[in-house]
């Protein structure tokens, strides 16, 4: 049983640098398959999702290496088109290899992607867009097959929703195609600008990323390129919420404030003193004020990935905060676990009402998705007593050694792995009533 053991109630201090952005490098790695040469990516986070993407590239015939936050991908001569099912099922962004393989080899096959269970997460917009670009896609027994006999043609298409993944899918696939593609109602997230800039260094001709209209003039071949991955704005937002929850004053290095402006503004509304410059200095108030309303929306709105982590901080704020989750239909999974720490949160459809409590107590809690797991860590940092956050594998998908980053800020976080479930029962401390009931192997509650 793997878990993070977190001793709460310690104010944070010191400096921490954010890593490269998970949601940028995953798209960049799929795009690197288009190249007829070698690409080098610097500032790559060492995450399980990144390693999964490298496994997909290896399976497609590319040669990859990953040392000291630098990834090399040599896709010259690679002509694979079947993405291994076990890799597809592990993460959502694997679907980007479908368009990349089709553009590079004229065919592609895969199953539907997996990923965090934060909603149904269909890929209808991806498939619709690829068909608009001329891919003949069939689906049988859950396996997607596509051929592009006539090559990939340019098209003018409008997404019904500014989907980040579908926008990346179109940029990647249309980059290696004939003609010009204009994508309307594109997602505007900063990760798409990273993708555009890398692909243009490879010889692509893309403009408009970061706005709702992206124009891609297809090319017949692309070279490799060297690129430094942008900083992870959600990791930065997570560190911000950590200090809001635990108290204290920290400096975040390498982050770009404009990438997560709504989260910074919410923190200021809650009483934090924040100064921005080459680094971001955050001083938490003695007690946070509640945030009247947070409604997640596509960039530049409040990022859905920061909803759970800010909610964890708001659980101890003075007053009532209201959260609307408008992007994913199942992104309040952290609520039941926060309640084990004493949080008072009511869910009503897409709305969660958080009645701030003076204190939270340490408890045994389990992550059900990546950002929900980060939220439990944030809450545990501000709780009285010891918490054990299970579901480490979810958290490792999006944060590189979070325990080291938090320890560098004065937190007491240890990654532990101990015996069977029965060990947990013996070790459960009676003093903290909020400790989750741990079922023994026979199902008896303790
Ligand atoms: C990306 O997911 C990110 N993942 C997510 O981060 C992030 O929450 C999301 O964008 C929104 O910002 C990566 O970049 C790897 P979407 P993605 O397509 O591309 C619906 C994290 O924690 N939709 O913008 O899957 C979808 O169900 C992860 O780091 C369709 O209906 O997000 C959702 O309701 C979680 N059909 C909405 O659009 C489709 O074909 C937004 O999804 C595609 C999406």
């Amino acid at each position: 049983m793997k878990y993070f053991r977190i001793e709460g109630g310690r104010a944070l201090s010191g400096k921490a640098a954010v890593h490269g952005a998970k949601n940028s490098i995953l798209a960049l790695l799929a795009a690197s398959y288009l190249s007829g040469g070698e690409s080098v990516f610097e500032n790559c986070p060492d995450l399980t999702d990144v390693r999964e993407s490298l496994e997909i590239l290896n399976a497609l015939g590319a040669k990859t290496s990953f040392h000291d936050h630098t990834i090399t991908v040599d896709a010259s001569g690679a002509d694979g088109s079947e993405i291994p099912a076990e890799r597809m099922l592990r993460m959502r962004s694997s679907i980007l290899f479908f368009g990349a393989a089709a553009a590079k080899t004229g065919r592609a096959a895969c199953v539907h992607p997996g990923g965090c269970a934060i909603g149904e997460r269909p890929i209808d917009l991806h498939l619709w867009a690829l068909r608009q670009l001329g891919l003949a896609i069939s689906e049988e027994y859950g396996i997607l097959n596509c051929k592009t006999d006539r090559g990939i043609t340019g098209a003018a298409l409008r997404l019904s929703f500014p989907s980040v993944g579908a926008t990346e899918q179109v940029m990647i696939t249309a980059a290696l195609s004939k003609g010009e593609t204009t994508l309307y109602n594109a997602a505007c997230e900063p990760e798409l600008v990273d993708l555009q800039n890398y692909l243009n260094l490879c010889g692509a001709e893309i403009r408009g990323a970061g706005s709702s209209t992206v124009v891609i003039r297809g090319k017949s071949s692309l070279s490799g390129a060297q690129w430094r991955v942008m900083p992870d704005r959600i990791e930065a937002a997570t560190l911000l919420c950590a200090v809001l929850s635990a108290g204290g004053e920290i400096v975040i290095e390498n982050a770009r404030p404009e990438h997560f402006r709504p989260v910074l503004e919410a923190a200021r509304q809650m009483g934090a003193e924040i100064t921005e410059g080459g680094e971001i200095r955050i001083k938490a108030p003695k007690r946070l004020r509640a945030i009247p309303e947070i409604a997640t929306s596509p960039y530049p709105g409040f990022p859905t990935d920061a909803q759970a982590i800010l909610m964890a901080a708001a659980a101890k704020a003075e007053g009532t905060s209201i959260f609307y989750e408008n992007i994913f239909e199942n992104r309040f999974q952290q609520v039941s676990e926060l309640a084990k720490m004493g949080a008072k949160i009511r869910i009503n459809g897409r709305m969660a009402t958080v009645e701030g409590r003076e204190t939270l107590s340490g408890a045994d809690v389990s992550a059900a998705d990546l950002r929900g797991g980060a939220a439990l860590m944030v809450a545990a940092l501000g709780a009285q007593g010891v918490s054990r956050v299970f579901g480490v594998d979810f958290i490792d998908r999006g944060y590189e050694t979070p325990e080291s980053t938090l320890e560098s800020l004065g937190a007491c976080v240890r990654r532990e792995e101990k015996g069977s479930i029965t060990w947990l029962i013996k070790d459960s401390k009676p003093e903290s009533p909020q400790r989750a009931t741990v079922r023994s192997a026979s199902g008896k509650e303790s």
Side-chain angles (χ1 to χ4, degrees), residues 22-23 92 121-125 163-165 305 327 371:
K22 163 181 92 80
N23 291 345
R92 168 85 178 170
R121 307 194 79 183
I123 54 169
D124 56 323
L125 297 179
S163 152
V164 172
D305 293 347
I327 304 291
R371 304 302 175 186

Side-chain angles (χ1 to χ4, degrees), residues 235-255:
E235 183 182 17
T238 306
L239 294 176
L240 166 63
C241 293
V243 71
L244 294 183
S245 171
E249 181 170 352
I250 66 168
V251 172
I252 301 177
E253 296 177 313
N254 297 351

Side-chain angles (χ1 to χ4, degrees), residues 90-108:
R90 293 232 178 89
M91 61 174 190
R92 168 85 178 170
S93 60
S94 54
I95 190 64
L96 297 178
F97 283 96
F98 188 68
K104 181 174 177 109
T105 70
R107 59 196 185 287

